[in-house]
Amino acid sequence: MEGQDEVSAREQHFHSQVRESTICFLLFAILYVVSYFIITRYKRKSDEQEDEDAIVNRISLFLSTFTLAVSAGAVLLLPFSIISNEILLSFPQNYYIQWLNGSLIHGLWNLASLFSNLCLFVLMPFAFFFLESEGFAGLKKGIRARILETLVMLLLLALLILGIVWVASALIDNDAASMESLYDLWEFYLPYLYSCISLMGCLLLLLCTPVGLSRMFTVMGQLLVKPTILEDLDEQIYIITLEEEALQRRLNGLSSSVEYNIMELEQELENVKTLKTKLERRKKASAWERNLVYPAVMVLLLIETSISVLLVACNILCLLVDETAMPKGTRGPGIGNASLSTFGFVGAALEIILIFYLMVSSVVGFYSLRFFGNFTPKKDDTTMTKIIGNCVSILVLSSALPVMSRTLGLHKLHLPNTSRDSETAKTSVNGHQKAL
């Protein structure tokens, strides 16, 4: 009997691992397909010839798509964990949702961390250097020469970064143990380096999010149709049409020798056409879209911004007053043990909305900063270098989102140990088998 129980436990563990691997693969495949369509929407259209540069661009495209999929997975992990916790609380004895356990969530978090490190330190530097490489002088040109140059550049970059980290560690902690820990690369330097990059991501996120919160109203105002209050759209369209015709006549009357005036008039004509298109869109919009959607979206943005600021202020006050409220001193409930919010499922849904709102605001704020304004992607006109830069930036922001959410008090979930949760899952399966 003991041997049969041991075999049964091993079979259950094997089926659990296969099930978790299948779920992770399907989720990542969906994110990869969505990321591929997003990148190809903004990527500059190039020739379809099968030359060397086309192959290099295609490889860089696949690596960038992989990185963007990992970023999306890192953003969706928090809402997925919260939803899983509430579902398990609502249906604790349902046999068909037992696969949604802490072991799966813990595995997804581990994979997201592993792939984030892989993309940040290996794939994206490889894609950038591979895109810029031409092969060493004196060697035969081709893909192999470019790969060799890329690997050499990656090796030199790794030595440079590890040297900088080792010097910084020796300056901060000046003893023999810290200097000898250079040999302990995997357990000390790589986690330390990733912690430094996570800190930079948190600082960038804290810088971009307030800017994005203020810019969200402007962005939504540009995307939606504003109400027409005391405005005559027909008259404005008529005036814009006359101005467009006047500019077109002036442009046709100029000679080709006056190059500067022609370029200036073409730019002005393009601006007039854009304004005319916006006015025509406002005229064609229905009364519901003008008078209901725009005010409702603005009120919703105002409510979400107010709730976010209020939660941040309350959490900061708790951190100042109560020492146990610090993230390092809290160990929240595991998956399916207790609700993360006082209001139950409604509070969890509100937390998910706020997490998504903060992420979107941070991305909007990132592209609104003057230093990163040139990174803004344009439809069908974004180079692969800019795509790589955008993917790295979004990866850093998404990796820092769980840390900021935990610090601001939006996420108090504690992932249990995998072994403990697997034992719980085995006990549950055995109980269901006995019941059957």
Side-chain angles (χ1 to χ4, degrees):
M1 294 297 296
E2 294 181 359
Q4 293 180 357
D5 292 340
E6 183 180 357
V7 173
S8 177
R10 286 191 302 175
E11 289 179 354
Q12 292 173 11
H13 180 70
F14 173 76
H15 291 308
S16 176
Q17 294 296 321
V18 172
R19 181 179 63 246
E20 292 176 9
S21 301
T22 305
I23 293 173
C24 294
F25 175 77
L26 292 177
L27 293 176
F28 184 78
I30 295 173
L31 293 177
Y32 188 89
V33 172
V34 174
S35 303
Y36 179 80
F37 282 111
I38 292 175
I39 291 181
T40 52
R41 176 181 175 84
Y42 291 98
K43 180 180 177 294
R44 177 177 294 175
K45 304 302 180 183
S46 57
D47 298 332
E48 299 297 332
Q49 300 176 358
E50 291 294 332
D51 56 353
E52 182 180 322
D53 291 334
I55 297 175
V56 172
N57 286 331
R58 192 175 296 113
I59 294 175
S60 301
L61 174 64
F62 292 154
L63 295 180
S64 301
T65 305
F66 184 87
T67 303
L68 187 61
V70 172
S71 304
V75 173
L76 295 175
L77 270 179
L78 275 177
F80 184 75
S81 303
I82 297 174
I83 292 175
S84 302
N85 182 72
E86 298 301 325
I87 290 176
L88 290 175
L89 282 176
S90 302
F91 308 98
Q93 302 298 328
N94 195 333
Y95 177 74
Y96 297 99
I97 62 171
Q98 292 301 317
W99 59 271
L100 198 64
N101 49 34
S103 177
L104 174 64
I105 305 299
H106 195 274
L108 289 174
W109 279 99
N110 289 336
L111 288 177
S113 177
L114 175 63
F115 286 154
S116 297
N117 291 328
L118 180 66
C119 294
L120 194 60
F121 297 117
V122 180
L123 297 185
M124 285 294 94
F126 178 85
F128 177 76
F129 289 128
F130 190 47
L131 196 66
E132 299 294 330
S133 64
E134 296 180 356
F136 291 112
L139 295 179
K140 184 180 179 180
K141 301 298 181 181
I143 298 296
R144 292 184 179 180
R146 300 181 73 162
I147 292 177
L148 178 61
E149 181 183 354
T150 303
L151 294 177
V152 172
M153 292 298 297
L154 284 177
L155 179 61
L156 295 177
L157 180 64
L159 292 176
L160 176 63
I161 293 178
L162 289 177
I164 293 174
V165 173
W166 182 68
V167 171
S169 175
L171 291 176
I172 295 174
D173 190 11
N174 190 13
D175 58 355
S178 63
M179 296 182 181
E180 291 176 357
S181 62
L182 177 63
Y183 302 101
D184 200 2
L185 180 65
W186 183 261
E187 295 183 2
F188 180 78
Y189 280 95
L190 289 181
Y192 178 70
L193 181 60
Y194 186 71
S195 299
C196 294
I197 294 179
S198 299
L199 176 61
M200 294 174 58
C202 289
L203 295 178
L204 182 62
L205 199 63
L206 292 175
L207 177 65
C208 297
T209 303
V211 179
L213 291 176
S214 62
R215 284 280 300 171
M216 285 293 292
F217 296 93
T218 305
V219 172
M220 297 305 297
Q222 295 174 353
L223 296 177
L224 299 177
V225 179
K226 298 181 180 180
T228 56
I229 302 175
L230 301 178
E231 285 185 303
D232 191 354
L233 294 179
D234 294 329
E235 182 179 357
Q236 294 183 17
I237 292 176
Y238 178 71
I239 295 174
I240 287 295
T241 303
L242 293 179
E243 186 176 354
E244 181 184 0
E245 294 176 354
L247 289 173
Q248 191 66 47
R249 285 195 298 269
R250 288 179 58 189
L251 189 60
N252 295 333
L254 289 177
S255 61
S256 59
S257 59
V258 191
E259 183 178 356
Y260 177 75
N261 290 335
I262 291 178
M263 294 178 60
E264 186 177 354
L265 285 177
E266 287 179 351
Q267 182 65 32
E268 189 174 355
L269 181 62
E270 188 67 26
N271 296 334
V272 170
K273 289 182 179 179
T274 304
L275 182 58
K276 182 181 178 181
T277 304
K278 293 180 179 179
L279 290 176
E280 290 177 349
R281 180 173 177 268
R282 291 182 61 187
K283 183 181 178 180
K284 294 179 181 178
S286 62
W288 289 97
E289 186 179 357
R290 289 196 304 265
N291 302 323
L292 182 62
V293 176
Y294 182 83
V297 171
M298 288 300 167
V299 171
L300 183 61
L301 286 178
L302 182 61
I303 292 175
E304 290 181 350
T305 305
S306 303
I307 293 176
S308 302
V309 175
L310 182 62
L311 286 177
V312 171
C314 293
N315 191 64
I316 291 176
L317 184 62
C318 291
L319 293 177
L320 293 176
V321 175
D322 189 6
E323 185 179 357
T324 60
M326 294 293 291
K328 64 180 181 180
T330 59
R331 291 184 63 86
I335 295 291
N337 293 332
S339 180
L340 302 178
S341 176
T342 308
F343 303 100
F345 189 82
V346 177
L350 179 61
E351 287 186 0
I352 293 174
I353 294 174
L354 290 178
I355 289 172
F356 279 121
Y357 182 60
L358 287 177
M359 186 61 196
V360 174
S361 301
S362 64
V363 174
V364 172
F366 175 78
Y367 289 117
S368 300
L369 295 177
R370 183 176 301 178
F371 183 75
F372 301 104
N374 295 329
F375 270 48
T376 306
K378 298 180 181 179
K379 183 181 178 181
D380 298 332
D381 192 26
T382 307
T383 61
M384 277 305 305
T385 305
K386 283 189 176 181
I387 289 177
I388 292 174
N390 280 278
C391 291
V392 172
S393 303
I394 294 176
L395 177 63
V396 172
L397 291 176
S398 61
S399 300
L401 180 64
V403 180
M404 193 187 75
S405 300
R406 183 70 181 259
T407 304
L408 298 181
L410 294 177
H411 180 58
K412 300 181 178 63
L413 186 64
H414 171 67
L415 295 175
N417 193 7
T418 307
S419 60
R420 177 186 172 187
D421 190 78
S422 61
E423 292 296 332
T424 305
K426 292 177 185 177
T427 305
S428 176
V429 172
N430 289 331
H432 284 289
Q433 289 179 348
K434 291 180 181 179
L436 293 175

